[in-house]
Amino acid sequence: MRARDSARLSAIRLLLAAMKQKEVDERVSLGDADVLGIVEKMIKQRRESIAQFEKAGREDLAQVERFEIGVLRGYLPQQMTEEEVGQAIAAAVAESGATGLKDMGRVMALLKARLAGRADMGKVSAQVRAKLGS
């Protein structure tokens, strides 16, 4: 607020409002995992909005959404590298004893708990599918 960065302040206020809304709706106090889930959901919503804005030729609105994603990413833990994600996938496949695509759910359940907020689960899912499919 003191820096007069209204765009950043707006993004932070949206995050705080989403957190407060979840607390009120579910009558619970949010933990770290809940907050990470909210931030990830908001980033996903912004990505979808960017795709729609670009499709409609509204680059100005898409740019605003990209900025908000940047602000929201600041509240996520440091992202894992591709190599670290690959190692986590290999460990989860070995631990679950997965042999094919039919076992993907078990592997993803393990990975979701371990990688929450630290990796894009859509990309992780694609990597697991490729690993189990081969």
Side-chain angles (χ1 to χ4, degrees), residues 19-40:
M19 290 168 47
K20 189 66 159 174
Q21 184 67 42
K22 185 164 179 111
E23 283 181 336
V24 169
D25 288 349
E26 297 180 12
R27 293 187 176 104
V28 294
S29 181
L30 298 179
D32 289 344
D34 298 322
V35 173
L36 284 177
I38 292 170
V39 173
E40 288 174 337

Side-chain angles (χ1 to χ4, degrees), residues 5-19:
D5 189 352
S6 62
R8 184 172 173 80
L9 181 61
S10 174
I12 292 170
R13 283 184 174 154
L14 285 171
L15 175 59
L16 291 173
M19 290 168 47

Side-chain angles (χ1 to χ4, degrees), residues 63-133:
Q63 196 62 33
V64 170
E65 297 292 319
R66 282 189 197 96
F67 177 79
E68 288 181 1
I69 287 175
V71 171
L72 291 171
R73 278 194 182 140
Y75 294 98
L76 290 176
Q78 183 175 359
Q79 297 294 297
M80 296 175 74
T81 64
E82 290 290 324
E83 184 178 305
E84 291 171 328
V85 171
Q87 291 171 352
I89 290 171
V93 168
E95 184 179 325
S96 68
T99 57
L101 285 176
K102 66 182 182 338
D103 300 319
M104 187 170 169
R106 284 190 285 159
V107 175
M108 287 303 295
L110 289 171
L111 290 172
K112 186 172 183 177
R114 295 177 186 166
L115 306 181
R118 298 176 48 209
D120 181 355
M121 293 310 288
K123 292 179 183 176
V124 171
S125 176
Q127 290 177 351
V128 169
R129 184 178 304 279
K131 184 166 184 70
L132 294 177

